[in-house]
């Protein structure tokens, strides 16, 4: 499944930002503008992004808690190191949004006819049609007649203040606290809404200017899919 490359990059950033302790202290706008300034004609985007990422690590803008050779041993209590892995891949927002390179690698291994590409926005827009296409691709004699609705709702709220972070940790660590919270959600919704209004803050938003700047970085990706999946032009419109 693929989606608007910039939206995918931003979503990946949000997943790190929303942690109890943000793993990436840079703003998304800062990331885009820095990569844009350092981009050179003919230089692969992933190389520029890696350079910017290394500088961010040196400037301590990236949490060292989630990367490094001993990460698996120290954090997850396993008996081997993570030197064979790439613990920084979640921070490569734009390199990981270059679907075309991944798809071409897959097609070099598997026959083209065995690879089905689903566009996320089209799935949300026409779920019945897309799901029936997937059934047909899998040679399943199934046709969904039920009218499906797949709203894209992934509300992200961030803990604000020491109290909010402590409550979050308690819910994760103590089953009794989690049970009490779930009981309140069902039987005392006004109280839960009040607590949430105090202890949360909204997630960062993606401005039109930043979106359009990021599209320039991923220009080749948009052009590739405009040729191979022409309908992405209508779903992945420039703001």
């Amino acid at each position: 499944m693929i989606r608007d490359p910039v939206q995918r990059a931003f979503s990946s950033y949000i997943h790190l930002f929303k942690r109890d302790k943000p793993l990436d202290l840079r703003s998304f706008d800062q990331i885009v503008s820095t990569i844009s300034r350092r981009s050179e004609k003919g230089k692969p985007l992933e190389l520029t992004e890696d350079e910017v990422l290394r500088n961010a690590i040196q400037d301590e803008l990236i949490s060292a808690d989630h990367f490094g050779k001993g990460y698996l041993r120290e954090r997850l209590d396993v008996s081997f190191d993570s030197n064979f892995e790439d613990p920084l891949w979640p921070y490569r927002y734009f390199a990981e949004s270059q679907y075309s390179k991944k798809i071409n690698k897959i097609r070099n291994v598997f026959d083209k006819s065995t690879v089905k590409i689903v566009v996320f926005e089209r799935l949300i827009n026409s779920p019945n049609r897309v799901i029936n296409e997937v059934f047909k691709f899998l040679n399943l004699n199934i046709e969904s007649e039920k009218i499906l609705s797949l709203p894209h709702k992934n509300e992200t709220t961030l803990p604000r203040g020491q109290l909010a972070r402590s409550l979050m940790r308690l819910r994760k660590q103590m089953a009794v606290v989690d049970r009490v919270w779930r009981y309140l959600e069902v039987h005392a919704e006004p109280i839960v809404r009040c607590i949430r209004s105090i202890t949360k803050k909204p997630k960062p938003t993606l401005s039109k200017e930043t979106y359009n700047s990021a599209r320039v970085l991923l220009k080749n990706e948009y052009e590739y899919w405009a040729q191979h999946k022409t309908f992405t032009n209508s779903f992945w419109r420039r703001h």
Side-chain angles (χ1 to χ4, degrees):
M1 182 178 292
I2 65 175
R3 67 181 297 190
D4 183 323
V6 172
Q7 294 290 353
R8 195 228 70 89
F10 183 66
S11 177
S12 181
Y13 167 78
I14 289 295
H15 279 294
L16 296 183
F17 187 88
K18 72 180 182 181
R19 300 292 184 89
D20 180 27
K21 178 183 177 182
L23 304 184
D24 194 335
L25 301 180
R26 302 170 295 172
S27 69
F28 193 71
D29 178 72
Q30 178 185 358
I31 296 168
V32 172
S33 60
T34 304
I35 295 176
S36 298
R37 287 198 308 270
R38 300 194 179 188
S39 294
E40 301 174 11
K41 187 176 181 180
K43 184 177 182 179
L45 173 60
E46 53 268 30
L47 294 183
T48 303
E49 186 174 28
D50 265 4
E51 291 175 1
V52 172
L53 180 56
R54 286 197 295 271
N55 289 335
I57 292 172
Q58 292 175 359
D59 294 338
E60 299 184 345
L61 296 174
I62 300 294
S63 172
D65 292 343
H66 288 260
F67 63 84
K69 182 177 179 180
Y71 168 66
L72 290 178
R73 183 186 297 276
E74 297 169 5
R75 291 285 172 175
L76 302 183
D77 193 28
V78 297
S79 59
F80 51 86
D81 290 329
S82 56
N83 57 313
F84 58 89
E85 293 189 349
D86 180 12
L88 289 177
W89 74 263
Y91 301 90
R92 295 186 171 95
Y93 311 119
F94 295 97
E96 294 299 320
S97 291
Q98 296 180 97
Y99 295 111
S100 58
K101 295 185 177 182
K102 301 176 186 295
I103 293 297
N104 289 332
K105 286 181 179 179
I106 291 173
R107 285 175 169 168
N108 286 335
V109 177
F110 302 98
D111 187 270
K112 183 179 179 180
S113 63
T114 65
V115 179
K116 173 68 175 175
I117 300 172
V118 174
V119 177
F120 171 78
E121 290 83 0
R122 184 167 176 261
L123 173 63
I124 297 299
N125 185 262
S126 305
N128 279 74
R129 182 176 180 180
V130 175
I131 288 175
N132 284 328
E133 289 175 359
V134 172
F135 288 158
K136 184 178 180 180
F137 175 78
L138 296 174
N139 291 321
L140 296 176
N141 189 23
I142 303 173
E143 184 170 349
S144 174
E145 297 180 353
K146 182 179 179 181
I147 298 177
L148 301 175
S149 176
L150 300 175
H152 178 216
K153 184 177 181 182
N154 185 20
E155 182 179 354
T156 300
T157 56
L158 308 174
R160 179 173 60 195
Q162 187 61 42
L163 175 60
R165 290 192 290 271
S166 297
L167 287 173
M168 179 179 286
R169 283 194 292 269
L170 282 174
R171 281 194 65 191
K172 293 179 179 179
Q173 297 170 2
M174 299 180 64
V176 63
V177 175
D178 187 59
R179 285 198 296 269
V180 169
W181 180 261
R182 293 181 183 276
Y183 177 86
L184 291 175
E185 286 183 319
V186 175
H187 300 284
E189 186 179 350
I191 295 177
V192 172
R193 286 202 306 268
C194 180
I195 294 174
R196 283 175 172 164
S197 68
I198 295 173
T199 61
K200 75 178 184 181
K201 60 180 179 179
K203 66 180 179 181
T205 57
L206 178 60
S207 70
K208 293 180 180 180
E209 293 75 16
T210 300
Y211 174 86
N212 291 333
S213 296
R215 274 188 70 109
V216 174
L217 295 176
L218 289 163
K219 178 183 177 182
N220 292 339
E221 192 67 17
Y222 284 96
E223 291 178 347
Y224 176 92
W225 292 108
Q227 295 174 9
H228 292 79
K229 295 284 185 182
T230 57
F231 60 81
T232 58
N233 283 328
S234 61
F235 288 114
W236 300 349
R237 289 192 296 267
R238 183 183 292 272
H239 290 295

